[in-house]
Amino acid sequence: MSALPGRVVLLGHPVSHSLSPTFQNAALRRASLPLTYEAMDIAPDELAFAASLLRANNAAGNVTVPHKESFAALCDTLSPIAARVGAVNTFWVDDGALVGDNTDVGGFEQAIAQSFGAEREWPTMALIGAGGAAAAVVAAAERWTGSRVAVWSRNRARAERLAERFPHAQCAESLEHALADAALVVHATPLGLRAADALPVPVQSLPVRACVFDLVYVRGETAWVHAARAAGHQAADGLGMLIAQGALSFERWFGQVPDREAMWAAVRE
Ligand code: NAP
């Protein structure tokens, strides 16, 4: 984008708990950009009207739960990766057209490389969950040579629909089948957001050398990440992915790399 966007927003419902304004505003201040990143709580039936206003205001921003799929249908243009995932988490306006992109895919890839080493290869992945975030994970693995993904979800029909869209993915018959021989176990459901939640996968069921990545993040890391690490696994929560997808969004909006240290520092505070 050549000119600055009119405003930068996050669309979600609910949205008040989001960390994105904290670290995006730190990056905006660091870059001396005269904008404030604002969270907007938009109900599903208001989304189409909001999209038309954002287009008219030359806005840019992010989209979060529950709007990622429905916002994709409102965009005039989708990036190839947003079209592949079927969901948009980043948008901007280009010459009057609303453009949708997906930086969850790149954010996941970067977080995996940062957490476990950029040189690591993942021939087999077990993926727990079959929603929009899971689709971004499957799309990321599609870019890894020879990687196979076994998808398991409590809703088998949804897991089948996701796996059918990607030749390198298959719907697992059971959690045990999904986990068998998995080098990487990825969790993409909301389990762990609340302290009372069960662990998404019992740690004794994890393959011995599997690395564990939890898309969920809470203050002080999730119980699953703590338990997996205590059982000897390398494990990371979703905070690194959140910052990475946000940094990639910032690059799309402003054509410059944000100060990731400033973003991390704002979140740690
Ligand atoms: P989504 O589209 O609503 O999908 C949620 C998935 O989790 C579905 O497969 C759903 O199954 C399953 N699920 C929901 N509640 C469950 C429960 N109590 N037990 C077992 N499975 C359950 O949500 P999403 O956009 O994929 O996001 C999933 C989670 O990923 C979010 O809660 C968020 O914490 C995390 N996330 C993190 C990042 C990051 O940057 N770190 C980015 C995106 C998402 P059903 O179809 O049966 O409901």
Side-chain angles (χ1 to χ4, degrees):
M1 275 187 315
S2 45
L4 278 184
R7 54 197 300 200
V8 197
V9 300
L10 169 66
L11 308 178
H13 183 67
V15 81
S16 58
H17 63 286
S18 173
L19 285 175
S20 292
T22 303
F23 66 77
Q24 291 290 8
N25 281 318
L28 285 166
R29 282 192 298 275
R30 190 77 178 173
S32 302
L33 290 167
L35 287 162
T36 302
Y37 183 100
E38 310 159 67
M40 293 175 66
D41 194 323
I42 303 290
D45 62 354
E46 301 167 338
L47 189 65
F49 183 59
S52 63
L53 286 182
L54 293 167
R55 188 189 284 105
N57 284 297
N58 190 36
N62 290 124
V63 182
T64 188
V65 177
H67 299 318
K68 290 183 185 182
E69 282 98 351
S70 34
F71 195 84
L74 297 168
C75 289
D76 303 307
T77 314
L78 292 180
S79 69
I81 197 67
R84 188 74 181 115
V85 177
V88 161
N89 81 322
T90 302
F91 69 90
W92 60 88
V93 176
D94 186 10
D95 207 11
L98 190 59
V99 181
D101 196 358
N102 192 306
T103 64
D104 281 336
V105 177
F108 172 76
E109 285 177 309
Q110 290 188 1
I112 291 293
Q114 281 156 12
S115 303
F116 307 125
E119 75 293 345
R120 291 282 285 270
E121 293 185 349
W122 308 104
T124 46
M125 180 201 295
L127 174 60
I128 317 305
V137 169
V138 180
E142 193 172 37
R143 311 204 289 207
W144 299 343
T145 310
S147 198
R148 309 275 319 156
V149 181
V151 184
W152 186 84
S153 176
R154 65 178 183 180
N155 178 341
R156 187 175 169 87
R158 199 171 178 187
E160 278 172 354
R161 281 200 300 278
L162 174 58
E164 276 165 9
R165 291 171 44 211
F166 294 89
H168 68 297
Q170 63 180 46
C171 175
E173 282 173 25
S174 64
L175 178 58
E176 290 66 34
H177 277 99
L179 293 170
D181 299 329
L184 179 63
V185 180
V186 177
H187 169 236
T189 87
L191 281 175
L193 284 171
R194 295 173 309 173
D197 285 345
L199 298 186
V201 175
V203 285
Q204 61 272 21
S205 304
L206 293 168
V208 177
R209 272 181 282 279
C211 291
V212 163
F213 190 83
D214 195 349
L215 262 71
V216 175
Y217 51 88
V218 293
R219 185 179 286 273
E221 301 187 305
T222 60
W224 191 52
V225 164
H226 284 295
R229 222 177 263 145
H233 298 271
Q234 277 186 272
D237 76 353
L239 192 55
M241 173 175 167
L242 181 77
I243 302 272
Q245 62 78 33
L248 293 170
S249 298
F250 191 102
E251 287 179 35
R252 306 286 198 279
W253 304 325
F254 305 117
Q256 60 177 281
V257 177
D259 183 338
R260 289 200 192 199
E261 268 314 307
M263 295 167 116
W264 273 106
V267 165
R268 286 196 194 101
E269 271 170 31

